[in-house]
Amino acid sequence: APWRLALNSEIQHATMTEIRRQKDPEVKAAVERLAKSEISGAFRSLGDRVVQVGREAGDIHLANAAVAAWNTYRQQSGGLPPIIVPTNSLRAEVAGQVRTQLVAEGKLGDGQAVGTLAPVRMSRAEAGLASSYREGQVLVFHRGVKELGLSKNDSATVVGRDERNNLLILDREKGGRVSLDLSADPNKRRFETYSSKDLEVRQGETLVWDRTDKDRDFKVGGRFTVDKIEKGEWHVRTADGSTTVLKDSDPQLRFISHGSAATADRSQG
């Protein structure tokens, strides 16, 4: 509202009108209509690119339609395009359907269970309350906590909570039990919260990184393909075609998930 009032007062300003993201003429025209708030017209102009599932459709209905469209596209192009979804629950449903189909088609090899860490979504306010956490969750520190003997990239498991004093009781990965005061430095988010999850990984499938490793240029949401897993090593190929060999003990392999679908916010990144 403040900006609208300023513009209506004819304050000097520049207007950005050139759209550079969309390259497809039909899609670009629809985006231009959306920018003018012509919502219905924009969607109608996309024709059969839009599939209407129904107002009462749940995740399974949406996943079915998305996977059907994915199948049509890959038959025409020969590739495996990513599917972009609005929520993590829908992402899991889509990924499950895609993997089941690829396994049935013989496009994925043998699988093995891998212990991974799945992000636990919390707001800043929730992250500051001991009551938000559950026993068994894992905290991975991106900043050290010197007084607790925790360094960057260390992890610790939640084994108890003192909600009255806002403390988390942690077992450190490298040994020892400590109490973390969530009320100390409330504006400094020194860790991320994860839940443990076994993930089946098959040779030939596409995965994504759930945590950034700047030293090796692994970015959150970055897709890679598992070419093979043998003799305790993972041979992976990134989207740009480069290959990397990782030991199966590599900590980064805890932060992976199936990559056939991505949430909208992650795909933008």
Side-chain angles (χ1 to χ4, degrees), residues 140-146 149-155 174 190 211-212 214-215:
V140 179
F141 289 78
H142 50 76
R143 298 177 60 183
V145 184
K146 186 176 181 180
L150 291 165
S151 304
K152 181 179 179 180
N153 294 324
D154 280 356
S155 62
K174 58 187 180 183
R190 296 179 287 187
R211 191 169 188 247
T212 293
K214 292 182 179 179
D215 293 337

Side-chain angles (χ1 to χ4, degrees), residues 2 4 50 55 102 127 159 173 186 220 255:
R4 184 169 64 251
V50 177
R55 293 186 178 183
L102 293 177
V159 295
E173 184 180 30
V220 169
F255 305 99

Side-chain angles (χ1 to χ4, degrees), residues 149-212:
L150 291 165
S151 304
K152 181 179 179 180
N153 294 324
D154 280 356
S155 62
T157 302
V158 178
V159 295
R161 295 167 293 164
D162 179 349
E163 296 183 19
R164 176 177 295 181
N165 295 304
N166 208 28
L167 301 175
L168 291 180
I169 313 304
L170 307 176
D171 272 351
R172 300 183 306 176
E173 184 180 30
K174 58 187 180 183
R177 181 164 293 186
V178 295
S179 296
L180 176 66
D181 185 356
L182 295 176
S183 299
D185 301 324
N187 294 321
K188 295 181 180 179
R189 297 194 64 172
R190 296 179 287 187
F191 59 85
E192 298 296 335
T193 308
Y194 298 87
S195 59
S196 298
K197 177 182 178 181
D198 282 339
L199 187 76
E200 185 189 58
V201 175
R202 290 178 174 265
Q203 295 190 73
E205 76 173 321
T206 299
L207 303 174
V208 294
W209 299 118
D210 285 337
R211 191 169 188 247
T212 293

Side-chain angles (χ1 to χ4, degrees), residues 122-133 166 182 186-187 189:
M122 292 188 193
S123 67
R124 183 176 292 274
E126 289 171 331
L129 297 173
S131 58
S132 300
Y133 296 82
N166 208 28
L182 295 176
N187 294 321
R189 297 194 64 172

